[in-house]
């Protein structure tokens, strides 16, 4: 990673809205059960979902179980915590931990000593058991709440490859990762972000593969976040990006556990956030946005071809409308004669300049796309019909736009959807508009200027300290193999270069099957 | 800080695009796409320019622009012509522009035609504009027209959309003589100061065709001495010139066996390698032509069976003689009829004998007719096609 890290987030940012732990939260539990319960109830005043169940252990010692209704499995709590304790008839002087060891058959159990610990346990679906004459309590892991089933990720579907996607539940997500990477070297570091939401965020990496400097940087950046709440990983993404104003995403977001695991195996890190199926991956390069997981599951010939198709269409999606505008309004001599005459014919009834025509159509297309995404599925069909009829045909027949322009916009739209990462498609679609404008005012010269600016920007861009164009600027043979083509797996024997350290092997030598 | 830089950048872009941009912009709707330009000699030494331009609306299909249904004589005219005259080409064109509501666009103009009369007077002055103006293409084709050049533009080809397109496609087919503006420019300043320009005629229209429904086509060439036309070479002589210039492309050659007594043989395609070497021996300037030519039999009008090596050798001989006759005829005409070095022998001598050339440079007009051309021709018929003996001929009539 060299030393090109910027001043770390926490060092440069003054924690502005950091809510220190309140006095109540810092307080230790006391011996009196009544005091403890009363203090918890004071904190949870007007919280109708908090339940305090008082009972007597073995009919003698007063105790209380505190939990939030709906977050725990009440049935199990009754059966494995409350019932055995009430039935207990052991010596009274046994402390709570010894008692639990003998009586309570819940495997996940930990001691809590402060009010703050109690609150965090309670809100995470762990019932807290307090006993009179004891200045600590026990939290049991019995979380259970309604969750969505594991489904196929709709935004990243593949023909060949696993069909499961992350859900909103962090534990389910981490379990999916652990099912794939069983080595204990895969570490999941928990960080809590969000003043009010107290969202659990997990930093995932494989020890030994992920660079320690990168890890340290990720930790510092994550810990530097001071915000009232994290509702989606997008909050985190925008708070830890290297270049917050760039149109290009510097972290990859994915719903697929297999994509996360592939990244981990390459020495990258992943950030999982409670409450969203979208995990973040860093560092990435421009080409990560142009790669689909399926590239690595299909055989390498089709993968290579499709990859090239993608590169071509990414470029088309960026420049085609502006190129068309520039050529029809400045460089007519560049078009073959027969094509120009048919273009002239179809442009004949159009009253607008090509620039305006292009902007009109592109904006309409973006509107249709956005409408298609936002509308309920049942209405979606209506939008596409109206879009196809109105924009496709009626506009041409009414002489508002020319047929070639409709074709250009359609191809561009399809091209931008060809990118496997939705976010990358949007970045390119956004840049298309300034390019159209440049093409319409300065011709090809303007487009070239725009492209040069974009390339300059890409050259400066970094993702967690890794240059965005790393693989092509260093011309590392092992990296190029995965960009110019998708080399077969037996040839992809070296991990991609993410930092200045020597690359590591991921395969034993001579893995190419013998030619029988 | 960053915000200020952003504002600066945005305002710089706005100033760049808003205050300066767009002045070069020409929407397609504001352009007249010129497909061909014809230059003719007018009265009082004027130049008459005629352009042919595309009518973008007349195609069927797109754009329900209404308009009076069915207009003219049933033929769907896709081009129109407009004429103006002036002191020179630039003057005439500027007058022409005044009669056109759309800006003339030369970027797609690939045909320039000189009228015969103008060609006789000299074309150099008019060419200057075509090369100086940034829009016309160097690779466009140049022709001299029999009669008035503008007549070629008012034709409506049955196959192509414009007569200019028909001419261009004919030229690009590589079977006849063609000359681009760039070649013309370089040939005009060559040592020989002589060249040939494709000569076009209007093809006689078939009986059923509507008036004007025909195309111009290349037949023969106009021989130019300097920039002035001095005569017309027939198609056969033009082809002879192409042989000598090693320009011969894909075309069929037909020759008689033993005069006209035995019938004709046609061959194609011809693969020809021609090498010309200049040689000066004493006062005798010579050009040695080495021709190596091969062809496949296309039609055999003789009774000879080409499977017989002896007969085949005979055919080869006849083939060889035909090639020799063609070249000789051309050389003869160039040297004695026109005295125009259309083969650019001058350059060959200049290259190989620069000193002698320096001395003889001014004297080339006298020297050229005396240049001796010797030929070494190897001609072979390679394949006889799918059949051997002449088809449909009784066996006993075939000469074995």
């Amino acid at each position: 990673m060299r030393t090109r890290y910027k001043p770390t987030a926490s060092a440069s940012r003054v924690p502005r809205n950091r809510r220190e732990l309140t006095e109540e939260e810092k307080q230790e539990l006391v011996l009196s059960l009544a005091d403890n319960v009363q203090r918890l109830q004071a904190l949870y005043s007007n919280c109708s979902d908090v339940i305090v169940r008082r009972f007597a252990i073995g009919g003698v010692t007063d105790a209380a179980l505190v939990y939030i209704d709906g977050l725990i499995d009440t049935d199990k709590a009754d059966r494995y915590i409350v019932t055995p304790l009430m039935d207990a008839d052991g010596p009274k002087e046994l402390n709570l931990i010894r008692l639990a060891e003998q009586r309570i058959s819940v495997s996940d159990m930990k001691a809590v000593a402060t009010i703050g610990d109690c609150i965090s346990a309670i809100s995470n679906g762990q019932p807290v058991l307090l006993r009179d004459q004891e200045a600590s309590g026990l939290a049991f892991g019995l979380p259970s709440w309604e969750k969505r089933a594991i489904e196929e990720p709709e935004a990243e579907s593949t023909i060949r490859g696993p069909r499961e996607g992350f859900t909103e539940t962090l534990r389910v997500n981490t379990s999916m990762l652990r099912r794939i990477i069983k080595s204990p070297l895969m570490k999941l570091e928990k960080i809590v972000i969000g003043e009010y939401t107290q969202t659990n965020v997990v930093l995932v990496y494989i020890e030994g593969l992920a660079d320690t400097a990168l890890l340290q940087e990720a930790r510092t950046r994550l810990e530097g976040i001071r915000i009232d709440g994290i509702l989606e990983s997008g909050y985190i993404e925008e708070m830890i990006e290297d270049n917050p104003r760039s149109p290009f995403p510097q972290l990859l977001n994915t719903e697929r556990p297999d994509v996360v695991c592939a990244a981990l195996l390459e020495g990258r890190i992943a950030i999982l956030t409670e409450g969203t199926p979208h995990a973040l991956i860093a560092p990435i390069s421009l080409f990560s946005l142009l790669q689909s997981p399926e590239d690595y599951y299909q055989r390498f010939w089709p993968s290579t071809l499709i990859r090239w198709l993608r590169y071509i269409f990414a470029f088309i999606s960026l420049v085609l409308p502006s190129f068309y505008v520039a050529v029809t309004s400045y460089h007519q001599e560049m078009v073959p004669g027969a094509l120009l005459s048919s273009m002239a014919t179809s442009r004949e009834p159009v009253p607008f300049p090509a620039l305006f025509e292009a902007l009109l159509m592109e904006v309409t297309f973006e509107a249709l796309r956005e409408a298609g995404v936002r509308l309920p599925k049942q209405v979606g069909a209506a939008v596409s019909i109206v879009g196809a009829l109105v924009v496709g045909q009626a506009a041409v027949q009414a002489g508002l736009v020319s047929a070639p322009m409709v074709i250009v916009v359609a191809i561009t739209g399809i091209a931008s959807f060809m990118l496997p990462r939705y976010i990358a498609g949007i970045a390119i679609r956004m840049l298309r508009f300034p390019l159209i404008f440049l093409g319409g005012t300065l011709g090809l010269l303007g487009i070239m200027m725009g492209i040069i600016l974009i390339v300059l920007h890409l050259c400066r861009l970094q993702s967690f300290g890794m240059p965005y164009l790393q693989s092509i600027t260093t011309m590392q043979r092992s990296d190029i193999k995965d960009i110019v083509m998708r080399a077969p797996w037996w040839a992809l024997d070296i991990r991609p270069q993410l930092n200045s350290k020597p690359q590591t092997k991921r395969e034993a030598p001579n893995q190419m099957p013998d030619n029988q | 800080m960053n915000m200020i830089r952003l504002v600066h950048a945005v305002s710089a872009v706005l100033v760049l695009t808003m205050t300066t941009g767009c002045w070069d912009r020409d929407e397609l709707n504001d352009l007249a796409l010129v497909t061909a330009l014809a230059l003719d000699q007018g009265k009082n030494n004027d130049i008459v320019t005629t352009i042919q331009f595309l009518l973008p609306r007349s195609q069927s299909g797109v754009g329900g622009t209404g308009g009076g249904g069915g207009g003219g004589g049933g033929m769907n005219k896709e081009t129109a012509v407009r004429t103006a005259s002036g002191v020179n080409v630039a003057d005439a064109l500027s007058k022409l522009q005044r009669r056109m509501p759309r800006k003339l666009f030369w970027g797609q103009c690939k045909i320039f035609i000189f009228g015969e009369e103008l060609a006789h007077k000299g074309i150099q002055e008019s060419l200057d504009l075509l090369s100086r103006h940034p829009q016309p293409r160097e690779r466009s084709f140049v022709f001299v027209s029999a009669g008035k050049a503008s007549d070629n533009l008012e034709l409506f080809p049955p196959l192509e959309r414009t007569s200019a397109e028909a001419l261009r496609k004919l030229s690009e087919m590589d079977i006849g003589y063609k000359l681009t503006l760039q070649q013309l420019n370089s040939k005009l300043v060559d040592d020989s100061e002589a060249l040939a320009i494709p000569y076009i005629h209007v093809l006689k229209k078939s009986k059923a065709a509507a008036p004007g429904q025909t195309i111009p086509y290349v037949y023969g060439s106009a021989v130019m001495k300097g920039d002035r036309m001095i005569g017309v070479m027939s198609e056969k002589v033009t082809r002879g010139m192409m042989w000598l210039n090693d320009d011969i492309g894909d075309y069929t050659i037909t020759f008689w066996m033993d005069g006209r007594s035995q019938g004709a043989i046609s061959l194609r395609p011809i693969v020809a390698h021609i090498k010309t070497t200049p040689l000066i021996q004493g006062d005798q300037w010579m050009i040695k032509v080495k021709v190596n030519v091969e062809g496949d039999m296309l039609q055999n009008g003789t009774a000879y069976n080409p499977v017989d090596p002896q007969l085949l050798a005979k055919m080869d001989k006849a083939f060889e003689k035909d090639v020799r006759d063609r070249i000789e005829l051309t050389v003869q005409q160039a040297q004695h009829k026109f005295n125009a070095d259309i083969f650019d022998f001058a350059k060959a001598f200049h290259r190989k004998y620069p000193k002698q050339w320096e001395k003889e440079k001014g004297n080339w007009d006298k020297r050229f007719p005396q240049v001796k051309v010797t030929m070494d021709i190897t001609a072979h018929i390679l394949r006889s096609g799918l059949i051997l003996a002449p088809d449909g001929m009784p066996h006993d009539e075939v000469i074995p």
Side-chain angles (χ1 to χ4, degrees):
Chain A
M1 208 65 42
R2 301 170 210 167
T3 50
R4 65 161 78 87
Y5 280 135
K6 292 198 228 159
T8 57
S10 60
S12 61
R13 273 185 230 171
V14 184
R16 268 163 299 193
N17 58 347
R18 167 94 168 145
R19 198 187 63 141
E20 294 297 325
L21 286 175
T22 57
E23 284 308 307
E24 286 93 355
E25 280 173 350
K26 273 193 232 161
Q27 278 173 15
E28 310 237 320
L29 292 170
V30 293
L31 286 176
S32 156
L33 175 68
D35 275 4
N36 288 337
V37 169
Q38 197 223 321
R39 276 189 292 172
L40 278 176
Q41 273 176 329
L43 282 174
Y44 277 122
S45 62
N46 291 335
C47 294
S48 56
D49 55 344
V50 174
I51 289 176
V52 180
R53 167 73 159 92
R54 288 166 197 276
F55 61 97
I57 297 175
V60 187
T61 323
D62 278 342
L65 191 68
V66 189
Y67 62 92
I68 293 179
D69 197 19
L71 285 190
I72 69 157
D73 190 337
T74 338
D75 188 39
K76 280 186 191 153
D78 293 349
R79 207 162 346 138
Y80 303 123
I81 302 174
V82 181
T83 317
L85 284 180
M86 286 169 90
D87 293 347
D89 49 359
K92 197 180 155 196
E93 60 275 13
L94 221 57
N95 75 13
L96 196 56
I97 294 195
R98 287 293 297 158
L99 192 69
E101 277 170 359
Q102 288 179 5
R103 289 281 163 186
I104 297 179
S105 48
V106 176
S107 56
D108 181 4
M109 179 181 92
K110 68 171 193 253
V112 287
T114 66
I115 296 286
D117 287 350
C118 291
I119 289 178
S120 106
I122 292 169
S123 15
N124 279 312
Q126 295 175 327
V128 168
L129 177 68
L130 299 170
R131 196 185 76 155
D132 199 22
Q133 297 309 310
E134 180 131 5
S136 71
L138 284 177
F140 302 96
L142 287 176
S144 158
W145 53 81
E146 291 305 319
K147 42 190 137 175
R148 192 166 62 96
I150 294 177
E151 285 166 17
E152 185 175 355
E154 276 180 22
E156 295 168 72
S157 52
T158 54
I159 292 172
R160 181 171 177 178
R163 298 225 189 280
E164 58 175 23
F166 286 136
T167 69
E168 283 75 10
T169 316
L170 185 63
R171 267 298 148 244
V172 176
N173 297 348
T174 55
S175 73
M176 282 157 117
L177 294 183
R178 189 60 83 183
R179 270 205 325 255
I180 300 175
I181 302 181
K182 296 177 184 79
S183 161
L185 286 174
M186 184 179 83
K187 307 293 181 195
L188 302 132
E189 278 179 25
K190 193 175 104 171
I191 297 166
V192 178
I193 308 177
E195 208 52 51
Y196 292 93
T197 56
Q198 296 283 310
T199 311
N200 289 327
V201 174
V202 174
L203 177 67
V204 194
Y205 59 93
I206 295 182
E207 203 172 273
L209 293 187
D211 183 39
T212 43
L214 168 69
L215 270 174
Q216 197 44 53
E217 178 66 20
R219 281 185 205 118
T220 342
R221 287 192 194 185
L222 284 174
E223 278 157 8
I225 301 176
R226 300 276 178 271
I227 191 173
D228 55 353
I230 299 286
L231 301 184
E232 216 278 338
S233 53
Y235 286 46
I236 298 177
E237 182 179 356
E238 290 197 357
M239 304 283 266
I240 62 173
E241 274 173 338
D242 292 59
N243 184 343
R245 289 195 181 83
S246 171
F248 291 94
Q250 293 135 61
L251 285 95
L252 193 69
N253 68 303
T254 179
E255 284 185 76
R256 301 181 60 97
D258 53 330
V259 172
V260 169
C261 289
L264 294 179
L265 288 173
E266 287 174 346
R268 301 178 210 265
I269 56 163
I271 298 165
L272 267 56
T273 312
E274 174 88 61
T276 174
H278 292 278
L280 298 172
I281 293 172
I284 58 160
S285 75
L286 178 66
F287 295 95
S288 315
L289 299 173
L290 296 168
Q291 292 168 351
S292 154
E294 190 158 350
D295 287 0
Y296 297 95
Y297 303 150
Q298 298 286 7
R299 300 195 62 243
F300 71 99
W301 282 123
S303 299
T304 303
L305 289 177
I306 289 171
R307 207 166 253 194
W308 270 101
L309 200 66
R310 219 177 271 145
Y311 293 157
I312 294 166
F313 272 75
F315 190 69
I316 285 181
S317 146
L318 182 66
V319 299
L320 185 64
S322 44
F323 185 74
Y324 178 81
V325 169
V327 162
T328 51
S329 38
Y330 289 96
H331 315 281
Q332 292 90 353
E333 65 279 351
M334 285 181 64
V335 189
L339 178 61
L340 186 69
S341 70
S342 56
M343 263 160 58
T345 307
S346 50
R347 265 201 65 76
E348 195 58 24
V350 179
F352 306 120
L355 171 62
F356 185 73
E357 195 190 357
L359 286 175
L360 184 80
M361 285 302 287
E362 285 292 343
V363 170
T364 314
F365 172 78
E366 289 300 312
L368 278 173
R369 181 195 57 78
E370 183 63 15
V373 174
R374 295 297 151 237
L375 279 179
K377 281 206 175 67
Q378 297 87 325
V379 198
V383 169
S384 52
I385 290 169
V386 169
L389 279 180
V390 172
V391 179
Q393 251 197 306
V396 173
Q397 276 177 354
L400 288 176
V401 290
S402 60
M405 182 58 84
V406 173
I407 296 169
V408 164
V409 171
I411 290 178
T412 316
I414 290 179
S416 74
F417 290 136
M418 244 196 86
L419 299 184
R421 303 280 158 206
Y422 182 70
I423 183 74
I426 291 196
I428 288 181
R429 274 212 297 277
M430 254 167 18
L431 292 172
R432 195 152 77 201
F433 287 93
L435 276 187
I436 292 177
F437 199 71
L438 282 171
T441 50
L442 297 173
L444 288 182
L445 182 73
I447 297 181
M448 215 50 229
M449 274 163 47
I451 290 178
I452 289 174
L453 282 180
I454 292 173
V455 171
L456 281 180
H457 172 71
L458 285 175
C459 291
R460 273 191 73 223
L461 206 56
Q462 293 187 351
S463 166
F464 272 75
M466 183 180 102
Y468 213 51
L469 295 178
Q470 160 115 317
S471 331
I472 51 170
T473 46
T474 56
M475 290 304 271
Q476 205 45 261
R477 196 164 162 268
S478 55
D479 285 359
I480 294 296
K481 270 198 291 195
D482 200 13
I483 288 176
V484 178
M485 63 180 298
R486 202 281 279 168
W489 267 112
W490 40 261
L492 287 174
D493 53 348
I494 297 177
R495 293 202 172 78
Q497 180 149 40
L498 304 178
N499 50 41
S500 55
K501 301 209 175 98
Q503 289 161 285
T504 46
K505 291 246 175 201
R506 65 191 307 180
E507 286 173 14
N510 303 323
Q511 289 293 295
M512 182 182 172
D514 290 338
N515 213 343
Q516 294 298 331
Chain B
M1 178 58 190
N2 250 328
M3 213 53 210
I4 294 170
R5 272 172 62 192
L6 190 73
V7 169
H8 283 182
V10 168
S11 44
V13 168
L14 281 182
V15 167
L16 255 180
T17 52
M18 293 295 173
T19 59
T20 62
C22 297
W23 82 94
D24 263 352
R25 202 191 69 202
D26 291 310
E27 289 295 333
L28 271 178
N29 310 29
D30 305 330
L31 294 177
L33 303 180
V34 179
T35 53
L37 168 68
L39 300 169
D40 279 305
Q41 182 65 45
K43 285 176 204 151
N44 309 325
N45 262 347
D46 271 4
I47 300 270
V48 181
T49 56
T50 309
I51 56 161
Q52 183 189 57
F53 54 94
L54 281 172
L55 299 176
R57 70 191 157 282
S58 59
Q59 269 177 314
S60 55
V62 200
T65 21
M75 200 162 47
N76 199 9
K77 293 184 177 169
E78 303 209 354
T79 56
V81 297
R82 201 148 290 183
T83 302
S85 62
V87 178
N88 59 15
V89 182
D91 185 39
L93 285 180
S94 78
K95 283 179 179 154
L96 185 61
Q97 179 68 77
R98 261 175 262 158
R99 297 175 195 175
M100 290 285 295
R102 292 187 180 193
K103 202 169 160 187
L104 296 181
F105 179 71
W106 297 96
Q108 299 289 351
C109 176
K110 285 165 188 159
I111 303 292
F112 298 114
I113 307 173
F114 290 97
E116 197 162 1
E117 202 184 330
L118 180 63
H120 276 292
K121 287 200 69 173
I123 59 171
Q124 181 270 330
E125 193 194 340
S126 312
L127 271 180
D128 183 75
L129 172 118
L130 300 184
S131 307
R132 199 177 294 280
H133 194 296
Q135 278 186 352
R137 297 181 168 221
E138 289 273 272
R139 288 177 59 205
S140 44
F141 295 107
V142 183
F143 304 92
V144 169
S145 161
K148 275 179 67 183
S150 57
D151 291 346
N152 296 288
L153 302 188
E154 280 192 275
L155 303 177
F156 302 97
L159 256 186
E160 296 301 331
R161 291 181 54 189
T162 68
S163 57
E165 185 76 355
L167 260 182
R168 186 180 67 83
K169 288 209 169 169
L170 274 174
S171 296
E172 281 177 356
M173 264 205 288
D174 227 19
I175 46 174
Y177 183 46
K178 63 180 178 224
L179 192 71
T180 64
L181 186 58
Q182 184 201 0
Q183 286 169 328
L184 175 60
N185 281 331
S186 69
K187 282 194 176 184
L188 274 175
V189 296
D190 263 349
D191 292 329
S192 64
E193 290 181 350
L195 70 148
I197 300 179
Y199 192 63
I200 56 173
H201 306 253
V202 173
L203 187 68
K204 194 168 178 297
K205 83 172 185 69
S206 62
K207 271 183 210 151
Q213 195 182 21
T214 178
I215 59 165
Y217 75 113
V218 181
Y219 199 78
S221 58
V223 181
M224 313 284 289
K225 187 105 190 216
D227 72 326
R228 283 158 203 265
M229 175 172 165
I230 53 169
V232 176
M233 284 197 298
S234 69
E235 177 70 7
K236 187 169 184 185
V237 179
T238 305
R239 288 203 177 279
M241 176 191 72
M242 290 168 73
W243 275 93
L244 259 180
N245 288 350
D246 202 1
D247 249 357
I248 202 80
D250 168 31
Y251 93 107
T252 308
I253 183 168
T254 304
F255 58 89
W256 296 97
M257 285 291 295
D258 305 334
R260 303 207 165 202
S261 56
Q262 296 281 354
I265 294 176
S266 291
L267 304 176
R268 81 170 295 203
I270 303 293
V271 181
H273 299 284
I274 297 126
K275 216 181 149 197
T276 50
T277 330
L279 188 69
I280 299 183
Q281 280 179 340
D283 199 33
Q284 180 65 57
W285 291 36
M286 284 162 67
I287 288 282
K288 280 162 79 180
V289 182
K290 194 171 160 51
V291 180
N292 207 331
V293 61
E294 288 164 353
D296 297 349
M297 190 173 284
L298 194 65
Q299 187 178 347
N300 183 4
T302 66
Y304 288 160
N305 189 348
V307 83
D308 182 334
Q310 278 180 351
L311 290 178
L312 192 64
K314 257 183 155 177
M315 290 176 172
D316 283 351
K317 261 269 162 345
F319 182 16
E320 186 190 311
K321 182 174 178 303
D322 182 73
V323 173
R324 183 184 301 274
D325 287 350
R326 279 163 190 272
I327 297 178
E328 265 174 4
L329 175 69
T330 312
V331 172
Q332 202 274 332
Q333 286 215 356
Q335 282 183 327
H336 303 298
K337 187 173 169 192
F338 301 114
N339 188 12
D341 179 12
I342 48 177
F343 319 110
D344 214 1
F345 287 163
K347 196 199 276 171
F349 281 114
H350 188 176
R351 279 193 181 149
K352 195 166 174 195
Y353 300 102
K355 281 180 193 152
Q356 280 99 323
W357 171 255
E358 269 318 303
K359 272 187 261 164
E360 287 288 316
K361 198 161 66 175
N363 207 19
W364 183 242
D365 266 0
K366 290 205 182 103
R367 175 63 75 181
F368 173 65
Q370 290 159 21
V371 172
K372 198 176 158 197
V373 178
T374 58
M375 273 174 279
D376 171 16
I377 297 175
T378 336
H380 286 299
I381 298 171
L382 276 192
R383 284 164 283 260
S384 65
L386 290 179
I387 55 169
L388 296 171
D391 192 32
M393 190 179 273
H395 282 296
D396 49 350
E397 285 180 27
V398 175
I399 304 171

